[in-house]
Amino acid sequence: MQLEDLRVILKVAEFRSITAAAASLDLRTATASAAIKRVESALGADLFIRTTRQLRLSSAGERFIPKCEEALLTLDLARQNLKEDSGQIDGELRIGASSDLGRNLVTPWLDQLLQEHPGLSLRVNISDSQVDFYRDPVDIALRYGPPADANLYGFKICDVPRLLCATPAYLQEKGSPKTPEDLSAHNGLFYQLHEIVHNNWEFFRGEEIYKIRMSGNRSSNDGDLVRRWCTSGYGLAIKSCLDMSADLLSGQVVATMRDYKPKATELWLVSPGRQSITPTVRLVRDTLRERCSGVLKQLLAEGLLSESDFRTGVDIS
């Protein structure tokens, strides 16, 4: 029996669906079905009971699946231990990243890693939706905010201030807002997730919190598109300083209303468990920390950020 066939078996058992398992593994449904037939033929037993409406484990499947899962986990741990000993950097890196950060910063950084490590290959899943490690073809995900699921394992990369941004031309035409009350005269550019438009903006000044419901004529579930609207001068957007770093450094956009600060966030590299933390993942973690630290230090040096913008001091080491 081939290892990849056994991995297909475990996914089908998990999803109770050949189609869903195939999609999770980025396979054709026919390929997954053929894998099941090969394993069942080798075992001389049917692992699944199939009907027109559902698929469930047979009694043989109920006995085999836990042992198969245990065996593959043992094998993966043994393989990982060998890599740990040698510090080997190879194989396929499957990483999920948000649209703006992934396209404009992270992917070029990973491209350089591939040049330095020819045995490494890359698969990037670009999406602003929350990663589902059981559904999406990724092993690690770079996301704003700490993992909400206690079963997930993560590394904090850095603190990330968020800024209210616009082009100089837009501010010259519409005026630069000085206080949250001034925002009623401006056009908001909004991020949208699961049909929820994030048009309720919060700002902090000392211990005071200011909540403003903005109006605007553009919203998208793609953070990169919101950034593009902002750099095109269509209005104001609250964005991560990392997402906007190149535009801020070039002067294409500026941060405005600096006495009132949007809530800062954090950048995390998340995995489904410790067993996913390979030497390659550690290299990616360290690379991201170094690169993000460099961007934040540059923004500080140019006066585009201040230490007060950070949630708990300047965590850019």
Side-chain angles (χ1 to χ4, degrees):
M1 284 178 282
Q2 298 180 11
L3 289 176
E4 292 309 313
D5 287 351
L6 294 176
R7 297 188 193 281
V8 171
I9 291 291
L10 292 183
K11 279 295 180 183
V12 173
E14 176 187 336
F15 284 100
R16 296 295 195 269
S17 165
I18 298 174
T19 301
S24 173
L25 295 168
D26 199 19
L27 298 174
R28 294 169 53 239
T29 302
T31 302
S33 295
I36 295 172
K37 290 179 181 178
R38 285 193 294 269
V39 174
E40 289 180 331
S41 177
L43 293 173
D46 291 335
L47 298 176
F48 303 100
I49 297 174
R50 306 164 181 82
T51 68
T52 56
R53 293 189 176 183
Q54 64 178 354
L55 180 148
R56 59 185 176 87
L57 289 176
S58 66
S59 59
E62 290 176 349
R63 294 193 304 271
F64 178 76
I65 294 299
K67 295 295 184 182
C68 178
E69 190 172 21
E70 182 180 340
L72 287 184
L73 179 58
T74 300
L75 183 61
D76 286 341
L77 289 174
R79 184 185 293 115
Q80 181 176 325
N81 287 338
L82 287 176
K83 287 189 175 183
E84 292 281 0
D85 293 340
S86 65
Q88 187 176 352
I89 306 296
D90 63 4
E92 183 179 64
L93 174 66
R94 305 192 308 171
I95 184 171
S98 57
S99 63
D100 205 342
L101 188 69
R103 287 192 185 102
N104 301 310
L105 286 181
V106 174
T107 301
W109 295 342
L110 295 178
D111 287 338
Q112 185 172 343
L113 276 187
L114 263 62
Q115 292 179 356
E116 296 169 354
H117 301 277
L120 190 61
S121 64
L122 178 65
R123 184 182 299 191
V124 181
N125 182 24
I126 295 292
S127 173
D128 282 332
S129 297
Q130 194 71 25
V131 166
D132 183 338
F133 286 104
Y134 298 102
R135 179 198 65 204
D136 301 324
V138 300
D139 301 312
I140 54 174
L142 188 65
R143 280 292 179 266
Y144 287 117
D149 188 338
N151 295 318
L152 299 180
Y153 188 78
F155 300 103
K156 181 179 173 181
I157 301 300
C158 62
D159 287 322
V160 184
R162 295 162 72 234
L163 302 171
L164 180 64
C165 297
T167 61
Y170 173 86
L171 294 176
Q172 184 175 3
E173 177 184 354
K174 301 293 186 180
S176 297
K178 304 300 182 185
T179 69
E181 289 75 17
D182 296 338
L183 294 177
S184 60
H186 289 270
N187 189 55
L189 307 172
F190 307 124
Y191 177 66
Q192 172 184 328
L193 184 63
H194 304 311
E195 303 303 320
I196 298 175
V197 177
H198 291 262
N199 59 348
N200 291 313
W201 288 359
E202 283 189 355
F203 298 90
F204 296 81
R205 189 183 189 191
E207 299 298 321
E208 297 293 325
I209 301 176
Y210 300 82
K211 297 182 179 182
I212 302 295
R213 185 175 181 85
M214 286 290 294
S215 60
N217 62 3
R218 287 174 172 84
S219 66
S220 175
N221 64 347
D222 187 316
D224 188 38
L225 181 55
V226 176
R227 182 188 63 83
R228 291 171 185 267
W229 284 335
C230 183
T231 59
S232 295
Y234 294 129
L236 295 167
I238 293 179
K239 292 285 293 178
S240 148
C241 68
L242 290 177
D243 291 353
M244 301 298 294
S245 57
D247 304 307
L248 289 164
L249 290 166
S250 69
Q252 189 170 0
V253 300
V254 295
T256 188
M257 209 171 78
R258 298 289 286 124
D259 290 338
Y260 298 83
K261 303 182 186 302
K263 186 177 182 180
T265 185
E266 300 172 347
L267 187 63
W268 282 72
L269 186 65
V270 182
S271 75
R274 285 181 178 270
Q275 67 273 14
S276 301
I277 310 303
T278 64
T280 299
V281 170
R282 289 193 178 93
L283 175 64
V284 171
R285 174 200 63 192
D286 295 342
T287 298
L288 291 172
R289 283 176 173 169
E290 179 183 357
R291 293 286 194 162
C292 289
S293 174
V295 172
L296 295 174
K297 286 178 179 177
Q298 190 175 6
L299 292 172
L300 281 165
E302 295 293 331
L304 300 169
L305 287 180
S306 65
E307 292 189 12
S308 63
D309 290 316
F310 289 80
R311 175 179 299 178
T312 53
V314 187
D315 181 13
I316 58 174
S317 58

